[in-house]
């Protein structure tokens, strides 16, 4: 009898909860169609590890733009180039917001550039675009900085004497040091490198842990403490390095040094420029701005270089062609200087194919529409989470013949000239596309060419197949794999 009563009470409670949930959920007419979810979690229980694949599956059923409830968040997935273009380019003004979650607010405190919007974003975006191009700074050009770091990587490779080693550890530092050079003038010394390595490692760890589901369910956490205990304390250490130790200690010291030595007429780096140009200077805002540049620019670029090397290992004929093109074009042998505008169409096609086949951020970075808007005939209420499925744009067989095959030739015309396809959009599009796109393209190209100008990248005999599977998370990074790199 008691069991029967308990069961009835529980069932009534569940029904009441369900009705309450349905009552709470706002109803809109003409939303893009999509799958039904379950109360509170929405569609999260039906997601596979690689969210981009699940969205693509649903899109095949419901159309190129779909509504998916992810935990608390009403989300619209843009699953075709046309949908992304209409939203981010043609109606860009309305889609330039960033979607805010409990996590984004906690990680940014509403500062920096990545997670802000409105006038403050516009001002920092304008400033950041000029600063990352080195405009208005004294000293080396961006290209010189990148080439110095690329040379440094080549020294490291030589020092390994053809033994297998993990390139990633050095690559990520070199890429971070390029940003260092632009933002805080100096390359890190050995001690600085250690700090930087710890910081970058924790960012990477954090990025991997920020799996889709985790980000989407923040509101369901009992408390922040519970949230931070997830992942065996890794999230805690990530947050500690990310926000407290590294940010406050390193960046604040640097900002103060810059303030003391400030020479208005000779800005050396981004901090000097910031002190010169930004009307309402605030140390925390600058600290988070610097943090965003490091966090956004390290793992993405270094992963892309590693993917390119992995694909060249499994396609030695393609690597031979790259070597031949570099030899033919850069006349003075292995010490010849390469520039970003050096005409290496085949090598650039290899990179374009790498950007396509292993999209660094398969789902971009979620945006938010700042007002009610109609998109492809559907209504999208203000403050909806908007996710572009960049991975599918790069892998849709309607546009890419055999999308799983690495074919640089698909990006070349009959005369061997590079075709810049508007369907390869790893940096996203519109006014809020990647702020570091030019810097990233320059460093990825110059690092790759500098390495292949001097070395051949070989499979490791102990494990001849580099891991090519996509990894889940915000950034699609390759797994660690010891490379053997030998002089030509
Ligand atoms: C392969 C390398 C990279 C890829 C694939 C990449 C991709 C992206 C993507 C997809 C976004 C989101 C854009 C959007 O909302 O539509 C983004 C934003 C951003 N990226 Fe990158 N990125 C790379 C490298 C870099 C580098 C080197 C930097 C700077 C040092 C950088 C700084 C940023 C910043 C600051 C944002 C936020 C921009 C804003 O909100 O206005 N990225 N990136």
């Amino acid at each position: 009898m008691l069991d029967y009563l308990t069961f009835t009470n529980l069932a009534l409670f569940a029904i009441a909860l369900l009705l309450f949930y349905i009552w709470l959920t706002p109803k809109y007419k003409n939303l893009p169609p999509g799958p039904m979810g379950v109360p509170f979690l929405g569609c999260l229980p039906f997601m596979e590890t690689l969210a981009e694949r699940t969205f693509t599956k649903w899109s095949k059923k419901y159309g190129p733009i779909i509504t998916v409830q992810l935990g608390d968040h009403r989300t619209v997935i843009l699953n075709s180039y046309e949908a992304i273009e209409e939203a981010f380019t043609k109606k860009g003004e309305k889609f330039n917001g960033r979607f805010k979650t409990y996590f984004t607010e906690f990680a940014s405190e509403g500062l920096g550039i990545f997670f802000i919007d409105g006038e403050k974003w516009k001002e920092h975006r304008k400033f950041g675009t000029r600063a990352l191009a080195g405009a208005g700074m004294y000293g080396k050009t961006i290209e010189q900085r990148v080439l110095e770091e690329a040379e440094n990587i080549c020294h490291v490779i030589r020092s390994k004497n053809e033994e297998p080693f993990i390139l990633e550890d050095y690559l990520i530092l070199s890429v971070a040091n390029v940003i260092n050079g632009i933002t805080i003038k100096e390359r890190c010394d050995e001690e600085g490198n250690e700090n930087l390595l710890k910081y970058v490692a924790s960012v990477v760890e954090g990025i991997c842990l920020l799996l889709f589901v985790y980000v989407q369910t923040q509101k369901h956490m009992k408390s922040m403490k519970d949230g931070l205990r997830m992942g065996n304390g890794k999230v805690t250490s990530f947050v500690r390095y990310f926000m407290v130790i590294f940010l406050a200690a390193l960046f604040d010291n640097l900002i103060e040094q810059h303030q003391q030595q400030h020479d208005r007429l000779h800005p050396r780096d981004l901090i000097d420029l910031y002190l010169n140009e930004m009307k309402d200077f605030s140390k925390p805002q600058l600290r988070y701005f610097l943090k965003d540049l490091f966090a956004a620019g390290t793992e993405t670029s270094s992963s892309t270089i590693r993917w390119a090397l992995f694909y060249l290992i499994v396609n030695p004929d393609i690597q031979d062609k790259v070597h031949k093109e570099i030899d033919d074009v850069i006349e003075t042998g292995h010490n010849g200087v390469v520039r970003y505008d050096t005409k290496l169409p085949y090598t650039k096609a290899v990179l374009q194919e790498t950007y396509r086949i292993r999209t660094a951020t398969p789902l971009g970075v979620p945006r938010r529409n700042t007002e009610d808007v109609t998109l492809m005939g559907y209504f999208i209420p203000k403050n909806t989470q908007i996710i572009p499925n960049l991975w599918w744009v790069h892998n849709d067989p309607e546009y890419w013949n055999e999308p799983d095959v690495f074919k640089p030739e698909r990006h070349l015309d009959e005369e061997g000239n590079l075709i810049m396809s508007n369907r390869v959009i790893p940096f996203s599009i519109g006014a809020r596309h990647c702020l570091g796109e030019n810097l990233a393209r320059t460093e990825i190209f110059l690092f790759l060419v500098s390495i292949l100008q001097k070395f051949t990248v070989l499979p490791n005999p102990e494990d001849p197949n580099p891991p090519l599977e996509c990894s889940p998370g915000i950034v699609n990074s390759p797994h660690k794999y010891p490379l053997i790199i030998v002089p030509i």
Side-chain angles (χ1 to χ4, degrees):
M1 184 63 182
L2 190 66
D3 279 356
Y4 175 74
L5 273 180
T6 312
F7 175 78
T8 314
N9 284 345
L10 277 177
L12 284 174
F13 180 69
I15 291 168
L17 215 58
L18 183 64
L19 289 174
F20 183 62
Y21 176 78
I22 293 170
W23 178 72
L24 270 187
T25 311
K27 302 279 168 295
Y28 295 102
K29 281 197 180 134
N30 197 27
L31 285 180
M36 280 281 288
V38 294
F40 302 105
L41 290 176
C43 298
L44 288 174
F46 313 113
M47 306 274 301
E48 293 156 53
T49 326
L50 297 174
E52 61 275 19
R53 313 276 166 129
T54 312
F55 294 149
T56 300
K57 217 159 54 184
W58 288 337
S59 233
K60 284 182 184 160
K61 185 164 174 200
Y62 296 102
I65 139 171
I66 58 174
T67 306
V68 174
Q69 188 68 28
L70 298 173
D72 290 326
H73 307 136
R74 180 186 54 249
T75 303
V76 165
I77 313 292
L78 309 178
N79 226 61
S80 73
Y81 176 78
E82 287 72 18
I84 297 173
E85 190 195 27
E86 182 174 334
F88 290 2
T89 308
K90 295 183 184 149
K91 296 181 176 162
E93 270 297 305
K94 295 176 180 158
F95 285 91
N96 277 343
R98 273 280 177 246
F99 192 69
K100 293 178 180 35
T101 63
Y102 181 82
F103 172 79
T104 63
E105 291 308 283
F106 176 66
S108 73
E109 299 185 87
L111 301 170
I113 182 162
F114 220 85
F115 298 123
I116 61 170
D117 36 38
E119 282 309 310
K120 190 152 98 184
W121 168 71
K122 279 190 188 154
E123 192 192 8
H124 280 80
R125 177 84 201 189
K126 213 165 141 194
F127 170 79
T129 306
R130 291 183 42 252
L132 286 186
M137 281 180 210
Y138 281 80
K140 295 170 190 158
T141 64
I142 304 293
E143 201 170 66
Q144 280 166 336
R145 289 185 195 287
V146 174
L147 283 170
E148 268 179 26
E149 287 302 329
E151 193 44 47
N152 196 46
I153 276 287
C154 292
H155 282 308
V156 170
I157 295 175
R158 250 180 243 113
S159 74
K160 298 297 170 188
N161 291 324
E162 307 184 16
E163 292 296 322
F165 76 106
I166 302 285
L167 179 66
E168 179 189 359
D169 297 343
Y170 303 94
L171 202 52
I172 205 148
L173 266 183
S174 289
V175 166
N177 260 329
V178 173
I179 305 176
N180 241 5
I182 299 169
T183 52
I184 55 181
K185 191 174 93 150
E186 294 302 336
R187 231 188 139 252
C188 277
D189 57 17
E190 281 312 306
E191 197 191 327
N193 270 352
E194 237 174 64
N195 271 341
L196 193 60
L197 187 60
K198 276 189 204 154
Y199 166 69
V200 171
S202 51
V203 169
V204 172
E205 206 173 60
I207 286 171
C208 297
L209 278 168
L210 293 182
L211 299 181
F212 215 77
V213 172
Y214 180 64
V215 174
Q216 302 298 339
T217 51
Q218 287 296 317
K219 258 198 183 164
H220 297 305
M221 302 271 171
K222 269 209 306 296
S223 69
M224 192 163 81
K225 250 178 160 182
D226 286 356
L228 296 180
R229 272 197 216 111
M230 285 181 73
N232 298 328
K234 285 182 181 163
V235 176
T236 321
S237 73
F238 157 60
V239 172
R240 203 176 58 234
Y241 277 123
F242 202 149
M243 297 180 67
V244 184
I245 297 178
F246 192 85
L247 271 186
L250 181 63
F251 288 145
D252 281 12
N253 271 347
L254 286 163
I255 295 169
E256 278 156 24
Q257 276 172 24
H258 277 69
Q259 282 174 313
Q260 283 154 16
Q261 303 162 357
H262 190 214
D263 172 359
R264 270 198 83 75
L265 296 177
H266 298 97
R268 304 154 296 175
D269 52 30
L270 185 142
I271 299 184
D272 278 349
L273 273 188
Y274 197 92
L275 293 173
N276 269 1
E277 294 183 10
M278 297 308 264
K279 286 191 293 292
D280 305 314
F281 172 78
S282 130
K283 202 194 291 176
Q285 167 57 26
L286 176 54
R287 180 203 302 155
Y288 275 96
F289 185 61
L290 292 168
K291 179 270 286 175
D292 282 350
L293 295 179
F294 276 96
T298 45
E299 179 64 2
T300 41
S301 301
S302 99
S303 290
T304 306
I305 298 169
R306 290 194 299 131
W307 281 125
L309 294 175
F310 285 12
Y311 275 97
L312 291 177
I313 290 175
V314 291
N315 294 285
D317 51 324
I318 297 179
Q319 187 172 170
D320 285 348
K321 285 188 196 167
V322 172
H323 279 139
K324 185 167 178 334
E325 183 179 66
I326 294 175
D327 269 1
D328 288 349
V329 174
I330 306 172
E331 290 155 9
T332 44
H334 297 166
N335 297 320
V337 176
V338 62
R339 295 178 52 93
Y340 184 61
D341 58 7
T342 305
K343 286 220 159 32
L344 293 167
Y346 188 80
T347 310
K348 286 188 175 164
V350 164
L351 269 181
Q352 188 144 302
E353 184 65 347
T354 308
Y355 287 130
R356 184 195 68 78
I357 203 162
R358 284 293 172 267
T359 311
T361 53
L363 295 170
V365 179
R367 301 261 195 108
R368 173 178 68 90
N369 54 320
T370 49
E371 42 188 287
D372 289 350
V373 62
T374 304
L375 189 73
M376 298 188 112
Y378 292 109
F379 175 68
I380 306 185
K382 181 177 171 177
N383 291 338
T384 299
Q385 171 167 230
I386 309 290
I387 295 184
N389 191 345
L390 305 180
W391 174 81
W392 180 241
V393 173
H394 294 169
N395 285 276
D396 182 350
E398 203 176 308
Y399 296 96
W400 304 105
N401 180 25
E402 298 187 293
D404 293 335
V405 183
F406 190 79
K407 279 198 259 187
E409 282 73 15
R410 65 170 100 234
H411 305 287
L412 296 169
D413 67 15
E414 281 166 9
E415 274 87 48
N417 301 311
L418 182 73
I419 308 165
M420 285 304 288
S421 167
N422 66 357
R423 285 182 187 272
V424 183
I425 48 168
F427 301 95
S428 185
I429 52 174
R432 200 155 192 177
H433 75 285
C434 172
L435 181 72
E437 173 167 356
N438 289 342
L439 173 63
R441 283 188 186 277
T442 307
E443 63 188 3
I444 291 167
F445 175 72
L446 292 179
F447 269 71
L448 193 74
V449 175
S450 300
I451 294 173
L452 294 170
Q453 191 182 7
K454 303 175 180 76
F455 303 98
T456 303
V457 190
L458 297 174
N460 185 339
E462 284 185 13
D463 175 11
N465 300 309
L468 292 179
E469 62 273 13
C470 293
S471 55
I474 294 170
V475 178
N476 174 14
S477 313
H479 294 292
K480 287 199 176 193
Y481 174 77
L483 292 170
I484 296 187
I485 310 187
V486 301
I488 292 178

